[in-house]
Amino acid sequence: PSFDCAHPFSAADEEICADPELAADDVRLNRAWKSLLPRLDEATRRPLTDDQRHWIKAQGDVYTEFLHPYRAKMTYFMHYTSSARFELDSLQRERIALLEGFDEKRTGLAGLWLGYTGILKVTPTDDGGLEAKGWKWQQGDWKAGCDFEMSGDLVKSAFVSADKRKNPDTLERDGATLIVNRMDDVFAAKRHEPTDGDEPKCKRSYGNSSTVRLFPAKPSPDINNFERVR
């Protein structure tokens, strides 16, 4: 792999070192990362580097999380090795798909957008508007997730949500990236009850924010079934 197996930092690293396929994908991922960075301007490179840093932590956590899943309270002594290996493999392949298929020349809002903590598929409608579906997750806490289901019009290339709320859904390009629901960070910080301010966007945990920054990804079998992405 791309790191020294004599000094693994996590159980995930140990599994990668012990599995030739995972090790090969780690090398491929590292190669894709180094190849992509020189193509990007600083405004894109900076948030992507931050996203990659968070993704690396998620990779370190995911194997342990699924090796001893919290939901298996009666069998905590068991090692769910096959499941944990599958999740680690999926996480690697999803990231490779983003880095190798990074679509930095994309214009507009339509397409597939992915980050370490969220995914969104934006599709043009027959009447000239847009529909967007996806979700934001928090590793290890499924109740903290936020489902995205948006529709609206394009007005002077800007997305205007069909929901007429104080805190409507928003999609904003920021260079090559996409910011989803930029203002929800502000609303969520002031929300102590479900009825505080506008209706919460994260129904299962109303104090959570649905704000997320995503990156343009070309279609890939590893992320096209985006409900599979964590």
Side-chain angles (χ1 to χ4, degrees), residues 38 155 162 170 230:
V155 179
T170 59
R230 280 153 304 286

Side-chain angles (χ1 to χ4, degrees), residues 202-218:
C202 303
K203 300 293 191 295
R204 287 164 289 187
S205 186
Y206 56 78
N208 285 359
S209 170
S210 62
T211 303
V212 65
R213 183 188 294 269
L214 303 175
F215 302 88
K218 294 178 182 177

